[in-house]
Amino acid sequence: GNIAVFIKPLRVPKGDRGYITTDVLLALDGTDKPEELLYVITSPPQYGQIEYASYPGIPITSFSQMDVARQIVCYVYN
């Protein structure tokens, strides 16, 4: 089916982290299965990295919409 993706800027001060929430990133496909909506990072951020909050310092290459809803994904601005 069709997928709608809504994106807003995430402002993070240098040296800090910002959580990627559904206010910043939201994908919907009409199935009510956010755990099956997967984001794949094909080009890492230039000035930081995306990581799980519980594993600081370890960059990730993918995460789900459910991870975003649970507020466990963050951007770290190095």
Side-chain angles (χ1 to χ4, degrees):
N2 295 328
I3 297 175
V5 180
F6 303 94
I7 303 169
K8 292 182 182 175
L10 175 64
R11 302 202 192 294
V12 180
K14 188 173 184 177
D16 206 353
R17 71 172 45 200
Y19 285 84
I20 300 172
T21 66
T22 55
D23 290 339
V24 174
L25 181 62
L26 178 63
L28 302 168
D29 69 352
T31 65
D32 291 329
K33 294 184 180 181
E35 66 278 3
E36 294 182 5
L37 291 172
L38 186 67
Y39 296 98
V40 177
I41 302 168
T42 58
S43 179
Q46 184 176 1
Y47 300 108
Q49 64 189 26
I50 306 293
E51 60 189 36
Y52 285 115
S54 56
Y55 296 98
I58 302 173
I60 58 175
T61 57
S62 65
F63 56 94
S64 73
Q65 182 64 51
M66 183 62 84
D67 294 336
V68 173
R70 291 173 35 212
Q71 298 182 10
I72 62 172
V73 178
C74 59
Y75 169 72
V76 178
Y77 184 179
N78 299 329

